[in-house]
Amino acid sequence: AQTVTQSQPEMSVQEAETVTLSCTYDTSESDYYLFWYKQPPSRQMILVIRQEAYKQQNATENRFSVNFQKAAKSFSLKISDSQLGDAAMYFCAYRGYNTDKLIFGTGTRLQVFP
Amino acid sequence: DAGVTQSPTHLIKTRGQQVTLRCSPISGHKSVSWYQQVLGQGPQFIFQYYEKEERGRGNFPDRFSARQFPNYSSELNVNALLLGDSALYLCASSLWDPLANYGYTFGSGTRLTVV
C-alpha cells in the first residue's frame, strides 16, 4: 500500500524569505502523480503544484517549486518570497496511475511572520 | 463558473442517528470523491463515483454509503453515527482521465459533529 509522510508538523518563515516543506512517499508503482495542496482556515483544499513521476523536470508555479527525487521517493515544496497569505496547512498527496484516489500526508502547518 | 458546492456547511447529530451530506461537482466533471478529514490529520479517501457507479472505496465500514445521480451530484450517507465520525467531510470533483494528470476541485466541506 502507498503511504505519504510529512515529518514536519509545523514550520515558520518570515515574510519574503524561503521555506521548504518535506514529503516522502512509499510506492511500488513506477507511474504516479504527486501534489501539494494548501488548506487555509476556509477549509477548501487548493492545488498548489503537481508533478508527473515520469517527468524528470521539477514543476514550478510562480513562487512555488518542487524538488522531486524519484529514486529517493522525496517530493519537497519550496516557497520563495513568502507572503502572509501563504500561511495555511500544506498537504502532500499521491495518486496512482489508474485511480482517482488521493493519499494524503498528515500535513505541515506553515506560519508566516511579518 | 460555480465551484464544488457542499451542503450543509455544519451539522450536529446525536450518536446513533443517520446523516446525509450533499455535493454538486463542477459542470463537466463526472467523477466525485468523498474524503473524511479528522481534526489534525490529512483527508482519508472514502468513495469515488464515476458515471453513477462506484469506482473506488476506502477502508470505511458499511455504515458509510454513497450514490451519484444522473446530474453527477452525489450524496454521502452515514448510518448509526459514532462519536468518531465527527470530522470534516470533503467532496472533490474531477474529469478522471487515468491517462492524464488532471486536477481535482474540492468543496469547502461539511463539518459534522456527533454528540
Side-chain angles (χ1 to χ4, degrees), chain A residues 10-14 18-19 21 82 108-113:
Chain A
E10 289 192 10
M11 291 287 285
S12 62
V13 64
Q14 276 203 305
T18 296
V19 64
L21 308 184
S82 297
T108 296
R109 181 174 301 281
L110 177 66
Q111 293 181 306
V112 182
F113 296 102

Side-chain angles (χ1 to χ4, degrees), chain B residues 21-51:
Chain B
L21 311 181
R22 296 175 176 82
C23 172
S24 293
I26 283 182
S27 177
H29 283 190
K30 298 181 179 180
S31 176
V32 171
S33 296
W34 288 94
Y35 290 82
Q36 181 196 63
Q37 186 177 16
V38 173
L39 192 63
Q41 296 184 19
Q44 297 289 317
F45 174 78
I46 309 175
F47 284 111
Q48 182 212 355
Y49 274 77
Y50 178 77
E51 289 283 14

Side-chain angles (χ1 to χ4, degrees), chain A residues 39 43-44 50 95 100 102, chain B residues 35 37 102-104 106 109:
Chain A
Q39 187 178 41
R43 311 182 318 200
Q44 185 176 17
R50 59 188 173 191
R95 176 173 74 86
D100 201 46
L102 284 170
Chain B
Y35 290 82
Q37 186 177 16
Y102 56 88
Y104 302 80
F106 283 83

Side-chain angles (χ1 to χ4, degrees), chain A residues 34-100:
Chain A
L34 296 166
F35 305 82
W36 278 98
Y37 279 91
K38 169 185 176 180
Q39 187 178 41
S42 66
R43 311 182 318 200
Q44 185 176 17
M45 286 282 189
I46 301 166
L47 178 66
V48 174
I49 199 165
R50 59 188 173 191
Q51 173 84 41
E52 296 91 333
Y54 61 84
K55 287 188 178 179
Q56 291 188 336
Q57 186 173 6
N58 291 323
T60 299
E61 289 286 344
N62 301 315
R63 299 182 295 108
F64 300 88
S65 61
V66 298
N67 183 4
F68 173 49
Q69 302 289 329
K70 190 172 183 179
K73 296 180 182 175
S74 171
F75 184 60
S76 61
L77 174 70
K78 185 171 82 171
I79 306 174
S80 303
D81 186 25
S82 297
Q83 300 175 0
L84 294 177
D86 294 333
M89 283 292 291
Y90 284 81
F91 291 95
C92 178
Y94 170 102
R95 176 173 74 86
Y97 184 69
N98 195 25
T99 175
D100 201 46

Side-chain angles (χ1 to χ4, degrees), chain B residues 79-111:
Chain B
N79 294 322
L81 285 167
L82 304 174
L83 294 180
D85 295 331
S86 295
L88 179 67
Y89 288 84
L90 294 167
C91 173
S93 77
S94 75
L95 292 171
W96 196 48
D97 179 353
L99 300 180
N101 184 13
Y102 56 88
Y104 302 80
T105 303
F106 283 83
S108 296
T110 294
R111 171 74 66 192

